[in-house]
């Protein structure tokens, strides 16, 4: 029997692409400064029966090869679940990096993002502290009991019976987790393997449209700039690769929703070549309006016909980052000029989480 478990980016759980490494810009050492990271774990059960699992235990290896021992949670939030045979299953853990008493910490929740909305507290996260800039290796140990579950009600996933099985605990592949200091002369940028990534906020104070029926305002909130400091050309993709994150006035991550009312295939114009010393800049389309529940909705284009959404309750100072996530080095795209499909090769791959940048929403 076979069972597959691997670490992915949450946006690609259904497609099953694997992230080999990710780079995270370290936050400033001051209260309220954090860096967020989404960790997606996908499962595929190739056995003949559904399998139960419960806890995911993170394992972090330091740059010197030492396996770090975390502070364990008081309670483990993951409940028993079933992995249906033959069907991929994905969950998301929302971690964060922050400072406490001059010690850099990585906090990984024990609960699933899409099942529970519990805040991160000492009772429900794994805590690795005393971290330094460098390349770490992260994986998860999956607690798969050595028993087989019989499900009496597939809709409720209620476990009615357990019997002996020979499946043992499993692990995900290691992911390279690179902790990177922002540039000394530019705190909104990081450099990874000769490529500089920077979140741009041209106008840090933005007006909320008047609260009138149908009032809607397009705006240029944030963009991302990549500078090629290598000796060779680099191709970048802007097709569903720029993912926004926003922190609220209380430094908590705002829920990122989404919708799609049509679908657009990748086009050749979505891919841009940067020569040595050149930079490329991309600003996704953004709009803001009032909803009927007296909440403010911010919509950021995802470039495939869909959009990311964030809800705001009022004006105030927020933080935004645009992260670059691309796991496809080769992709088929449509060329509008030649009216034909072309294979785009050697696209830069990786996941880079940029520093947060402040912006302020004000009422008109």
């Amino acid at each position: 029997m076979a069972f597959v478990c691997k670490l992915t980016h949450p946006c690609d759980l259904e497609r099953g692409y694997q992230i080999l490494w990710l780079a995270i810009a370290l936050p400033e050492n001051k209260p309220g400064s954090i860096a967020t990271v989404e960790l997606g774990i996908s499962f595929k059960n190739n056995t003949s029966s559904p399998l139960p699992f419960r806890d995911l235990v993170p394992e972090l290896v330091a740059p010197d090869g030492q396996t770090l021992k975390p502070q364990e949670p008081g309670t483990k939030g993951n409940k028993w679940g079933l992995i249906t045979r033959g069907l991929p299953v994905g969950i998301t853990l929302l971690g964060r990096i922050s400072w406490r008493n001059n010690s850099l910490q990585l906090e990984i929740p024990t609960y699933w993002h899409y099942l529970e909305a519990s805040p991160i507290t000492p009772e429900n996260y794994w805590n690795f502290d005393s971290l330094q800039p460098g390349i770490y290796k992260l994986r998860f140990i999956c607690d798969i009991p050595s028993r087989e579950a019989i499900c009496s009600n597939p809709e409720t996933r209620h476990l009615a019976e357990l019997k002996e099985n020979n499946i043992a605990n499993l692990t995900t592949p290691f992911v390279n987790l690179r902790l990177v200091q922002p540039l000394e002369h530019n705190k909104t940028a990081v450099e990874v393997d000769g490529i500089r990534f920077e979140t741009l906020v041209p106008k840090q104070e933005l007006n909320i449209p008047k609260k009138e029926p149908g009032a809607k305002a397009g705006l240029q909130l944030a963009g991302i700039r990549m500078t090629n400091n290598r000796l060779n050309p680099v191709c970048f993709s802007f097709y569903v690769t720029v993912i926004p994150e926003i922190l609220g006035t209380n430094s908590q991550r705002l829920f990122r929703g989404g919708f799609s009312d049509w679908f657009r295939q990748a086009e050749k114009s979505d891919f841009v070549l940067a020569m040595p010393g050149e930079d490329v800049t991309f600003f996704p389309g953004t709009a803001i309006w009032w909803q009927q529940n007296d909440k403010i909705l911010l919509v950021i284009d995802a470039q495939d016909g869909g959009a990311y959404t964030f809800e705001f309750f009022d004006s105030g100072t927020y933080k935004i980052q645009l992260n670059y996530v691309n796991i496809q080095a080769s992709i088929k795209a449509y060329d509008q000029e030649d009216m034909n499909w072309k294979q785009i090769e050697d696209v830069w791959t990786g996941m880079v989480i940029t520093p947060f940048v402040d912006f302020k929403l004000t009422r008109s």
Side-chain angles (χ1 to χ4, degrees), residues 212-239:
E212 298 174 350
K216 179 178 179 179
L219 51 88
Q220 189 181 67
L221 172 57
I224 187 170
R225 176 163 59 205
M226 285 87 86
T227 303
N228 180 14
N229 291 325
R230 293 181 177 181
L231 298 178
N232 57 291
V234 179
C235 181
F236 296 101
S237 167
F238 293 117
Y239 180 73

Side-chain angles (χ1 to χ4, degrees), residues 6-18 38-43 88-93 114:
K6 63 183 178 180
L7 194 61
T8 66
H9 185 268
C11 291
D12 298 297
L13 286 173
E14 292 185 1
R15 289 180 284 180
Y17 295 128
Q18 182 179 343
E38 292 189 37
L39 300 170
I41 298 94
S42 66
F43 304 85
V89 174
I91 65 173
T92 301
L93 300 177
Y114 295 115

Side-chain angles (χ1 to χ4, degrees), residues 35-233:
T36 61
V37 56
E38 292 189 37
L39 300 170
I41 298 94
S42 66
F43 304 85
K44 188 173 183 181
N45 177 9
N46 293 329
T47 70
S48 59
S49 304
L51 288 175
F53 80 107
R54 49 180 180 185
D55 301 317
L56 294 172
V57 179
E59 182 176 283
L60 190 66
V61 179
D64 61 4
Q66 178 183 0
T67 299
L68 303 180
K69 183 175 178 58
Q71 174 185 328
E72 295 194 7
T75 59
K76 296 180 180 179
N78 287 345
K79 300 177 174 64
W80 285 89
L82 276 181
I83 306 171
T84 305
R85 61 188 179 93
L87 295 176
V89 174
I91 65 173
T92 301
L93 300 177
L94 296 179
R96 69 179 184 183
I97 295 174
S98 61
W99 291 88
R100 183 178 300 165
N101 299 325
N102 291 319
S103 175
L104 186 65
Q105 303 178 77
L106 169 63
E107 300 166 325
I108 300 177
T110 62
Y111 57 86
W112 308 353
H113 171 50
Y114 295 115
L115 293 185
E116 301 181 39
S118 307
I120 295 181
T121 71
E123 291 300 309
N124 58 24
Y125 68 75
W126 301 86
N127 185 353
F128 297 90
D129 61 9
S130 301
L131 304 183
Q132 301 290 333
I135 300 177
Y136 292 77
K137 292 184 179 295
L138 173 67
R139 70 177 179 180
F140 286 88
I141 300 171
C142 307
D143 185 5
I144 307 293
S146 57
R147 293 176 294 179
E148 183 175 317
I150 305 300
C151 185
S152 63
N153 188 335
E155 293 184 359
T156 63
R157 290 185 164 187
H158 175 66
L159 303 185
E161 180 183 346
L162 293 172
K163 66 181 182 180
E164 293 300 320
N165 201 352
N166 295 321
I167 299 298
N169 290 349
L170 298 168
T171 61
T172 68
F174 275 112
V175 168
N176 290 323
L177 181 67
R178 183 178 303 187
L179 305 182
V180 186
Q181 288 279 19
L183 298 181
E184 187 67 29
H185 60 282
N186 185 352
K187 297 300 183 181
T188 65
V190 291
E191 187 158 317
V192 179
D193 292 339
I195 310 294
R196 180 182 300 176
F197 296 84
E198 180 181 3
T199 294
L200 305 174
V201 178
K203 187 177 179 181
Q204 292 191 307
E205 186 168 323
L206 302 168
N207 289 328
I208 303 170
K210 292 183 178 180
K211 195 174 179 181
E212 298 174 350
K216 179 178 179 179
L219 51 88
Q220 189 181 67
L221 172 57
I224 187 170
R225 176 163 59 205
M226 285 87 86
T227 303
N228 180 14
N229 291 325
R230 293 181 177 181
L231 298 178
N232 57 291

